Amino acid sequence: MTQRIFDTATRTLRDFEPVRDGHVSMYVCGATPQSSPHIGHLRSGVAFDIVRRWFLANGQDVAFVRNVTDIDDKILTKAADNGRPWWEWVSTYEREFTRAYNTLGVLPPSVEPRATGFVTQMVDYMRRLMDNGFAYAADGSVYFDVAAWVAADGSDYGSLSGNRVEEMEQGETDTRGKRGAHDFALWKAAKPGEPSWPTPWGDGRPGWHLECSAMSTWYLGETFDIHGGGLDLQFPHHENEQAQSHAAGDGFARYWMHNHWVTMAGEKMSKSLGNVLSIDNMLEDVRPVELRYYLGSAHYRSVLEYSPAALQEAAVAYRRIEDLISRTSSTGPVELGQWTPAFEAAMNEDFGVPKALAEIHNTVRAANKALADGDAAQARELAGSVRAMTAVLGVDPVEWASRGGVGGDGSASSDSAGAQEALDVLVRAELERRAQARAEKDWATADEVRDRLAAAGIEVTDTPDGATWSLKEQEENPNG
């Protein structure tokens, strides 16, 4: 079945044809680590992790590049306001982003380049643009000449974002030496107290857009398959990336993918709006796998409207999947099976996660029915399919249970959520064994299970819907 992708540049669903058979090259704009990450940042990480996992599951070799913008006006301003070196400030928050990615099970990129490590490549790019007549130096800065590029290829600039040139505003405050208001900085002249690097046109630091063209083509070649990022990057960042890359003579990205925002009360989640929800705060209410399930549950091109109720609904939905795997694991491990044709069709149609999740839950219901009918073999086979499908989405309960309380970077997950998850899987398996024993009137075995759980500090409560469990509260020591 053919993979189709909605290409932002053409606004159409296109059959995916990689530059090289069996190999997918992807560049995704990563963090500008000026402060702690929130769930709006992590939605992009999860969305493109699912894209990558689907290619990998289909036997593709994937080169996945995710950059770090480690020099930026806001980074410099915040570091200065807090009396810290800029390099220490950015490194501190870069580690927080890495921890957040790992906590949510986002696979590490093939490589994670930093802008400040690619000055040599940027100088080469600027030379090429100058030689082609599309860039100029002024007062130590270097600018892309939009008017010259539009005159050479009037259909190109604005094609990605759908904006008209006369309506575009670059949002740059330093306009020294610009020939035209629409021109954008490839290189910013040095300012007193700011870090700088030498170039033939003067000391300075990278412009925001140039870094991504230099890094993506260095690793993936002058033409690569997919460029991804958040919808807010479509203009000016991605529009300018494409313009400067094409003007330099590179084919650049063949497909553009943009994930939509996480919103609260209809507004894009951002620090400036004061409606930020940090990852650690979110993990006080749900486990990492449940937060990942929630962030990946909407189609990547759709708005994800945050509310505490929606988050809890996602957590409950995930626990239904988890419960099935636990119940079918009571007599032995459930092995990875094969996804269903409906799941494959959903994922091949622009990574349609909502339809894919619907198929997962259909399969969970079918497996539960098989269990109720006493068909353990059929239930196990269906559970194996559930595992295969959830693995593609990065939420396989067995894989998450195996992580324990340790994240992918070797650090402890928030509130030992991973350990809690692993414990839940084990306890549910014991409760299923106890329920089976009670159904067979094997009271000795049922009591044995309950006593063993009680000795481990786990309290079992029987309800009309089945047994539930909780950790017993520790008694206070009267002697302090």
Side-chain angles (χ1 to χ4, degrees):
M1 189 177 294
T2 302
Q3 177 70 54
R4 300 215 299 167
I5 295 175
F6 184 86
D7 176 27
T8 307
T10 62
R11 284 132 182 100
T12 60
L13 279 168
R14 295 175 54 202
D15 291 353
F16 178 65
E17 298 178 359
V19 174
R20 180 156 55 94
D21 287 344
H23 179 83
V24 179
S25 48
M26 295 181 62
Y27 183 89
V28 175
C29 285
T32 301
Q34 54 175 295
S35 55
S36 298
H38 57 68
I39 60 172
H41 297 124
L42 269 293
R43 187 194 180 185
S44 180
V46 169
F48 287 104
D49 187 58
I50 292 172
V51 171
R52 181 188 186 186
R53 285 173 182 266
W54 181 236
F55 283 129
L56 289 170
N58 280 279
Q60 301 284 333
D61 176 40
V62 181
F64 188 92
V65 182
R66 186 183 67 213
N67 77 302
V68 175
T69 298
D70 63 341
I71 190 75
D72 171 85
D73 290 345
K74 292 180 180 179
I75 289 171
L76 296 176
T77 298
K78 290 191 176 184
D81 289 346
N82 287 274
R84 307 307 305 167
W86 70 273
W87 49 265
E88 179 196 55
W89 188 264
V90 74
S91 296
T92 297
Y93 290 107
E94 183 182 343
R95 287 192 296 273
E96 285 203 18
F97 271 85
T98 298
R99 180 173 65 89
Y101 287 133
N102 289 329
T103 297
L104 295 191
V106 174
L107 298 172
S110 305
V111 65
E112 194 167 27
R114 289 151 188 81
T116 56
F118 279 76
V119 172
T120 299
Q121 290 83 351
M122 293 184 213
V123 168
D124 177 66
Y125 231 97
M126 287 186 282
R127 280 200 182 104
R128 291 164 59 193
L129 287 167
M130 287 182 174
D131 290 345
N132 290 346
F134 301 122
Y136 59 91
D139 299 328
S141 294
V142 179
Y143 294 101
F144 183 82
D145 192 333
V146 171
W149 177 238
V150 170
D153 187 349
S155 65
D156 186 83
Y157 195 64
S159 62
L160 183 61
S161 62
N163 292 325
R164 295 190 298 177
V165 176
E166 59 270 20
E167 297 173 346
M168 295 183 186
E169 295 183 6
Q170 299 295 344
E172 296 178 349
T173 57
D174 189 350
T175 60
R176 292 176 297 171
K178 274 192 179 186
R179 294 177 184 171
H182 301 305
D183 297 350
F184 57 87
L186 302 169
W187 188 258
K188 297 184 176 184
K191 295 180 181 178
E194 289 189 355
S196 63
W197 290 260
T199 76
W201 310 283
D203 292 355
R205 58 184 175 88
W208 179 28
H209 317 302
L210 183 61
E211 63 177 89
C212 286
S213 290
M215 289 186 283
S216 60
T217 55
W218 174 260
Y219 285 109
L220 302 177
E222 66 177 30
T223 300
F224 55 92
D225 293 319
I226 296 171
H227 193 317
L231 185 65
D232 53 335
L233 300 179
Q234 193 172 337
F235 181 83
H237 187 45
H238 289 168
E239 189 74 74
N240 290 345
E241 273 189 67
Q242 177 173 264
Q244 69 198 7
S245 300
H246 288 176
D250 291 340
F252 209 52
R254 299 181 67 188
Y255 301 83
W256 286 88
M257 297 178 64
H258 291 91
N259 67 276
H260 218 307
W261 303 319
V262 178
T263 61
M264 292 178 62
E267 293 188 275
K268 174 179 175 287
M269 187 170 294
S270 67
K271 293 178 175 63
S272 62
L273 291 176
N275 58 5
V276 174
L277 289 174
S278 74
I279 304 303
D280 287 345
N281 286 341
M282 299 288 284
L283 294 180
E284 292 179 2
D285 298 322
V286 294
R287 297 172 294 158
V289 65
E290 293 166 346
L291 179 56
R292 179 189 170 106
Y293 179 97
Y294 169 68
L295 291 176
S297 60
H299 193 280
Y300 76 91
R301 289 192 289 116
S302 299
V303 172
L304 181 63
E305 175 71 12
Y306 171 77
S307 71
L311 177 61
Q312 290 301 324
E313 286 173 7
V316 169
Y318 179 74
R319 289 167 196 163
R320 287 197 289 269
I321 299 171
E322 199 174 42
D323 183 64
L324 168 70
I325 301 301
S326 173
R327 294 172 66 202
T328 51
S329 298
S330 61
T331 57
V334 174
E335 301 297 334
L336 275 172
Q338 180 59 46
W339 53 72
T340 67
F343 179 87
E344 181 178 14
M347 293 301 293
N348 278 334
E349 189 72 359
D350 196 31
F351 310 97
V353 171
K355 289 184 178 179
L357 281 174
E359 176 62 10
I360 289 173
H361 285 285
N362 287 339
T363 309
V364 167
R365 284 189 286 272
N368 282 329
K369 183 178 185 304
L371 282 175
D373 293 342
D375 192 344
Q378 175 69 3
R380 183 176 293 276
E381 180 180 347
L382 291 168
S385 292
V386 169
R387 278 203 63 198
M389 292 184 285
T390 54
V392 168
L393 305 185
V395 291
D396 173 21
V398 175
E399 190 277 330
W400 275 86
S402 71
R403 291 179 57 170
V406 179
D409 59 350
S411 63
S413 299
S414 300
D415 298 324
S416 300
Q420 176 76 9
E421 181 179 0
L423 178 61
D424 184 65
V425 170
L426 294 173
V427 172
R428 285 176 183 272
E430 285 293 283
L431 292 178
E432 175 64 23
R433 180 167 172 255
R434 175 174 174 264
Q436 185 67 30
R438 295 180 71 185
E440 297 172 355
K441 301 189 183 304
D442 182 359
W443 308 117
T445 298
D447 290 343
E448 176 193 345
V449 171
R450 182 167 191 148
D451 292 345
R452 184 165 61 251
L453 291 174
I458 295 167
E459 185 173 6
V460 176
T461 303
D462 291 309
T463 74
D465 296 323
T468 62
W469 70 273
S470 60
L471 292 173
K472 291 181 181 178
E473 294 185 8
Q474 298 294 318
E475 294 184 2
E476 295 185 2
N477 186 341
N479 296 320

